[in-house]
Structures are given as C-alpha cells and as structure tokens.
C-alpha cells in the first residue's frame, strides 16, 4: 500500500525539489563510492543504490507517486539499515553519512518551497506505521525522524494508541517500545522541547487503561506514577505562581479511584511484605497532616517533594510491586 493518496504538486514545488536535491544526488554517489572502498561487503551499499534510483526516478517523473516511492524507500532504508550500521570506530563517519543521506532527502521534500512539512511528515509517519514489525520499533531511528520534524505527532499518537488497544498486535515488543518512548522524552529529559504530554495524550490514556489490567507489562505502573509525580510538581509550581493547570483532559491528572482499583486488582492475591501496612499508615497520616497544613496544603510542590522523599526513605518506591501495593 502507498503511504498516502496520490496528489499533484505544483510546478514551483517540483522545481524547488529539483534544485534542493541536485547536490544531494552527488552526495549519495560519493557515499556509495566511500562504502565501496572502505566496506565493500556492507549490506548498506544496495540500500544506497536504491535511494539513488528512487531519487533519480522522482527527478525524472516529477509526480506524487514517485515522491511517495522515494519517501518510503528512505524510511525503509533508515529502519533496516540502522540494524547493520558499521560499528568499527574507523567507519563511524560512513554510518553518519548513510543516515544523513536519507534524512537530507526527506528534509528536502519537507522544505516549504518543495512538498512541505505537512505532506512529508504525514507520509513519513504512515510509512513508518506500515513498516515491518521487526524494524519499526527502533527508537534511535524514530528519534532521528522526530528531531528532524519529519514525524506528524497527531498521527503518531493515534497509531500508538491503536496498537496498544489492538489485541491482534503482539503485546510485548510494541508496549516496551512505547514505554521507552515515554521514559526518554517525558521523564528522562526535563528540558525536552521535542515531545510533550499533550503530543501523546491518547497514548498516555491507553497506558493508564493498561494499568488496570492484570496483563500490564512490568514497570508500567511505576512509569505512570513517575509521570504523575512530574505532572503534579509542575501543577503545584503553576498554582503557586498564580496560574492554573487545566487537567480535565490530561490522563496524568490525579485519579485516586482509578489507581486504587488498579492496585487492588494486581495485589489482592498476594501477602504484603512485613511492616508495609504500618509504614503505609504512618505515611498516610503524614499526608493528611500536610494536606491540612496552612503552610503546605493542596497543590504544594514543596510538600509533595517532601512526601516523595519520605516514601523513598520507607522503601515504598523501591520496586514496582511495592508501588502497586
């Protein structure tokens, strides 16, 4: 299947693409020659030849069908080629040149003078979504595309959500990929300007639903709790600054009853570790006192940070199992 329905491009768009890719064709040829000299048996050489052929076809035919073919070829090569990039230090520049040849072609298509970021990002995202399962869940390649503004984030969010909700899709690999995506962009990188919670709202809602399932993958509950802690800290800081944070449609907004039911579902069949109930009671009493304190109260970031420290001291956040209980 093609990535998206064919459409025609204007004369100016086609001309701009021809101008932008004139030197790119030469760079692809030079990269092929470099691989042939330094790594003649590399499986990346046929991929570079296929990119050069698709680029030449588009420069000759100048139509939407050839453009979609070029886009798909660039995406497929990145996903498949990432698994066989040369690991030798002396060939590291070749690996970068392979990646850059494909990204530059896609960026030329996304140039506002050419086919534009809207058409290109949607086409790239559909190509990625339709690619083979054993190649598509490569976070490194997805990161290249996201940071190059070549992924349409609403389409990505919709696809990830459908994947999580589809019982026919193999559960383990895609759920781990999505959890890693959330971990990298929304938790590990506090200064992240690439993805926000709103960009993955549907995906986060699907992950929260999965927390209620006994088949929830290991680590998911802890991941969602870490996101909620971050969300609550930001909310507290904004409230302290006089701003409000609209959480009506935010899947990370506090939902005590939902998470309580999730914990009961997963933990009711097991015996609690020694002294867990006593520690929990102490923590709950302290939480109630802080909630009613005039110096802390609802939405206090400092009180929340203090409570998280107390939970760490008592070992409550040590494992996913203890967090669930």
């Amino acid at each position: 299947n093609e990535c998206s329905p064919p459409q025609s491009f204007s004369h100016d768009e086609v001309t701009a693409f021809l101008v932008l890719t004139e030197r790119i064709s030469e760079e692809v040829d030079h990269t092929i020659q470099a691989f042939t000299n330094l790594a003649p048996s590399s499986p990346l050489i046929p991929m570079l030849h296929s990119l050069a052929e698709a680029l030449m076809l588009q420069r000759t035919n100048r139509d939407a069908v050839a453009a979609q073919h070029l886009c798909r070829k660039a995406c497929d090569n990145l996903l498949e080629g990432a698994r066989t990039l040369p690991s030798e230090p002396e060939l590291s520049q070749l690996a970068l040149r392979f990646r850059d040849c494909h990204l530059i072609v896609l960026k030329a298509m996304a140039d506002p003078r050419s086919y534009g970021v809207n058409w290109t990002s949607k086409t790239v995202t559909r190509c990625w979504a339709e690619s083979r399962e054993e190649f598509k869940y490569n976070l490194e390649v997805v990161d290249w595309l996201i940071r190059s503004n070549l992924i349409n984030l609403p389409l990505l969010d919709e696809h990830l959500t459908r994947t999580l909700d589809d019982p026919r899709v193999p559960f383990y690999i895609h759920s781990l990929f999505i959890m890693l995506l959330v971990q990298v962009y929304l938790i590990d990188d506090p200064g992240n300007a690439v993805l926000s919670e709103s960009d993955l709202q549907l995906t986060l809602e699907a992950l929260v639903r999965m927390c209620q399932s006994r088949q929830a993958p290991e680590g998911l509950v802890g991941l969602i709790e870490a996101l909620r802690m971050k969300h609550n800290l930001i909310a507290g800081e904004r409230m302290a600054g006089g701003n409000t944070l609209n959480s009506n449609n935010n899947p990370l907004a506090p939902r005590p009853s939902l998470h309580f039911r999730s914990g009961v579902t997963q933990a009711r069949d097991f015996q609690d570790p020694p002294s867990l109930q006593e520690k929990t009671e102490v923590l709950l009493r302290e939480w109630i006192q802080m909630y009613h304190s005039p110096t802390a109260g609802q939405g206090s970031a400092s009180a929340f940070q203090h409570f998280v420290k107390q939970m760490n001291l008592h070992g409550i956040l040590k494992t996913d199992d203890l967090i669930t209980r």
Side-chain angles (χ1 to χ4, degrees):
N1 295 332
E2 287 299 336
C3 300
S4 60
Q7 69 176 64
S8 59
F9 299 115
S10 70
H11 174 75
D12 289 344
E13 290 172 331
V14 171
T15 301
F17 178 79
L18 293 176
V19 172
L20 289 166
T21 56
E22 186 171 351
R23 291 188 177 181
I24 296 175
S25 297
E26 296 177 3
E27 175 58 26
V28 173
D29 290 338
H30 291 158
T31 303
I32 292 173
Q33 189 59 48
F35 265 95
T36 303
N37 293 337
L38 298 174
S41 60
S42 172
L44 300 180
I45 294 177
M47 297 184 193
L48 287 165
H49 277 295
S50 69
L51 177 69
E53 292 167 2
L55 184 56
M56 180 60 67
L57 181 66
Q58 172 57 15
R59 289 175 59 83
T60 303
N61 289 9
R62 308 179 185 184
D63 59 22
V65 173
Q68 289 165 6
H69 174 70
L70 174 60
C71 189
R72 178 175 290 281
K73 182 57 63 178
C75 291
D76 287 348
N77 283 358
L78 282 173
L79 289 167
E80 296 181 31
R83 302 179 61 169
T84 55
L85 288 175
S87 56
E88 298 85 351
E90 64 273 16
L91 300 180
S92 60
Q93 288 302 313
L94 279 185
L96 290 177
R97 288 178 68 175
F98 174 86
R99 179 198 67 182
D100 291 346
C101 280
H102 292 81
L103 290 180
I104 291 172
V105 168
L106 293 173
K107 287 180 179 179
M109 301 178 83
D111 190 286
R113 295 164 294 178
S114 183
Y115 307 142
V117 68
N118 187 47
W119 180 87
T120 305
S121 65
K122 287 183 177 180
T123 306
V124 168
T125 306
R126 291 189 181 105
C127 287
W128 172 80
E130 295 170 4
S131 61
R132 292 163 59 183
E133 295 289 321
E134 61 266 35
F135 298 133
K136 69 186 292 185
Y137 296 122
N138 185 321
L139 187 58
E140 184 179 22
V141 176
V142 173
D143 183 67
W144 296 342
L145 296 173
I146 289 176
R147 293 183 186 277
S148 300
N149 200 27
L150 292 168
I151 288 288
N152 183 279
L153 296 180
L155 278 183
L156 175 68
D157 192 24
E158 290 175 11
H159 175 74
L160 295 178
T161 304
R162 285 198 304 271
T163 303
L164 287 171
D165 290 338
D166 189 347
R168 298 170 299 176
V169 178
F171 181 79
Y172 184 73
I173 297 177
H174 75 262
S175 60
L176 288 185
F177 168 80
I178 295 171
M179 288 169 61
L180 184 59
L181 186 79
V182 171
Q183 178 79 38
V184 167
Y185 288 106
L186 302 185
I187 297 178
D188 291 348
D189 186 2
N192 164 47
V194 180
L195 281 181
S196 66
E197 292 171 6
S198 59
D199 292 322
L200 297 176
Q201 180 170 322
L202 297 176
T203 302
L204 294 176
E205 289 173 355
L207 290 174
V208 170
R209 288 195 299 271
M210 286 178 66
C211 284
Q212 298 177 282
S213 167
R214 287 191 170 218
Q215 283 74 43
E218 183 180 356
L220 179 58
V221 172
L223 179 72
I224 295 300
E225 283 306 301
L227 274 172
R228 281 187 171 146
M229 288 178 188
K230 178 184 174 184
H231 171 81
N232 290 342
L233 286 173
I234 294 173
E237 290 168 0
R238 293 186 181 180
M239 291 176 70
N243 297 321
T244 58
L245 183 70
N246 183 1
S247 61
N248 291 336
N249 296 318
N250 195 312
L252 301 178
R255 288 174 174 81
S257 61
L258 182 151
H259 194 66
F260 178 77
R261 288 197 299 271
S262 172
V264 169
T265 299
Q266 296 182 52
R268 62 187 172 188
D269 295 334
F270 303 93
Q271 293 296 321
D272 288 331
S275 74
L276 177 65
Q277 292 186 12
E278 291 79 3
K279 290 179 181 179
T280 304
E281 183 176 353
V282 170
L283 286 167
L284 286 173
R285 290 183 185 279
E286 185 170 354
W287 176 262
I288 293 170
Q289 289 177 357
M290 285 193 297
Y291 182 87
H292 292 291
S293 170
T295 58
Q298 184 179 14
S300 170
S302 60
F304 188 81
Q305 288 174 324
H306 172 74
F307 188 71
V308 171
K309 289 180 181 178
Q310 291 298 312
M311 293 177 73
N312 270 316
L313 288 174
H314 285 282
I316 300 297
L317 301 180
K318 189 175 181 181
T319 66
D320 289 342
D321 181 60
L322 284 173
I323 292 172
T324 301
R325 294 173 190 281

